[in-house]
Amino acid sequence: MAVEQVVLLSSDGETFEVSREVARKSVTIENTIDETGTEDPIPLPNVSSKILRKVIDYCQYHIDAEQKDGSDKTVKSDAEIKSWDIAYTDIDQGTLFELILAANYLNIKPLLDLTCLTVANMIKGKSPEEIRQHFNIVNDFTPEEEEEVRRENQWAFE
């Protein structure tokens, strides 16, 4: 039996042919398929080809990793999957943030959780100044406003 294919169309016009199983990892794409079918390419106006390729890689890896072998165990161990996920998110910040936006838009919760956890780990244990420096965020608070925020959120600075 042939595997049903779905064609995805990135924001920059590149098409990607994926299995229905890969497409099903995205709630957004699955809902679109339910409403319009798979005859025409599914447009993804908020996702570039570079990021869509990475999203497809993530979905395909996790589908393959979750396959069961003859003894009802998954093909990949949890440690192998975690190691792959860590390597997958070892990317530049711009790409990471685009992945977060794509995972949110496509409604792929495991990918959104993974990418957000990566950012959370980047800021863990850092002062607000270190976080600003790490992410190139300009501090536009006046000293008075900053003091007010510190007072209102004293629990966070203890």
Side-chain angles (χ1 to χ4, degrees):
M1 184 171 142
V3 175
E4 183 181 0
Q5 297 291 301
V6 175
V7 178
L8 307 176
L9 179 64
S10 69
S11 63
D12 47 352
E14 192 170 336
T15 58
F16 296 83
E17 193 169 314
V18 299
S19 70
R20 176 75 183 254
E21 192 175 12
V22 167
R24 197 174 275 139
K25 287 284 193 182
S26 164
V27 175
T28 302
I29 294 171
E30 185 64 19
N31 289 342
T32 302
I33 290 169
D34 291 344
E35 291 173 15
T36 64
T38 59
E39 295 76 37
D40 296 323
I42 296 171
L44 301 172
N46 296 346
V47 186
S48 70
S49 57
K50 172 187 168 188
I51 298 303
L52 185 54
R53 190 173 292 110
K54 285 199 66 69
V55 169
I56 292 167
D57 289 347
Y58 173 87
C59 294
Q60 189 62 61
Y61 177 83
H62 281 268
I63 287 168
D64 294 344
E66 293 163 8
Q67 297 293 321
K68 304 284 186 186
D69 65 11
S71 64
D72 204 36
K73 287 180 162 178
T74 57
V75 175
K76 303 276 186 189
S77 70
D78 287 345
E80 288 174 302
I81 294 170
K82 185 175 182 174
S83 176
W84 187 90
D85 284 349
I86 289 168
Y88 175 84
T89 56
D90 186 18
I91 52 179
D92 65 273
Q93 281 182 22
T95 302
L96 180 61
F97 288 120
E98 285 184 65
L99 264 178
I100 290 171
L101 293 173
N104 186 51
Y105 170 71
L106 295 171
N107 199 350
I108 304 173
K109 186 174 179 350
L111 179 56
L112 183 60
D113 290 347
L114 173 64
T115 52
C116 288
L117 176 63
T118 302
V119 172
N121 287 335
M122 290 172 147
I123 65 175
K124 189 185 334 185
K126 291 187 176 170
S127 70
E129 292 76 24
E130 291 170 323
I131 294 168
R132 281 190 202 105
Q133 184 177 11
H134 187 82
F135 294 108
N136 297 317
I137 299 170
V138 177
N139 182 5
D140 57 355
F141 284 121
T142 64
E144 294 80 22
E145 290 172 328
E146 194 164 339
E147 183 55 39
E148 182 181 340
V149 169
R150 287 182 187 276
R151 241 183 296 119
E152 289 174 358
N153 300 289
Q154 186 59 40
W155 59 270
F157 296 97
E158 294 174 348

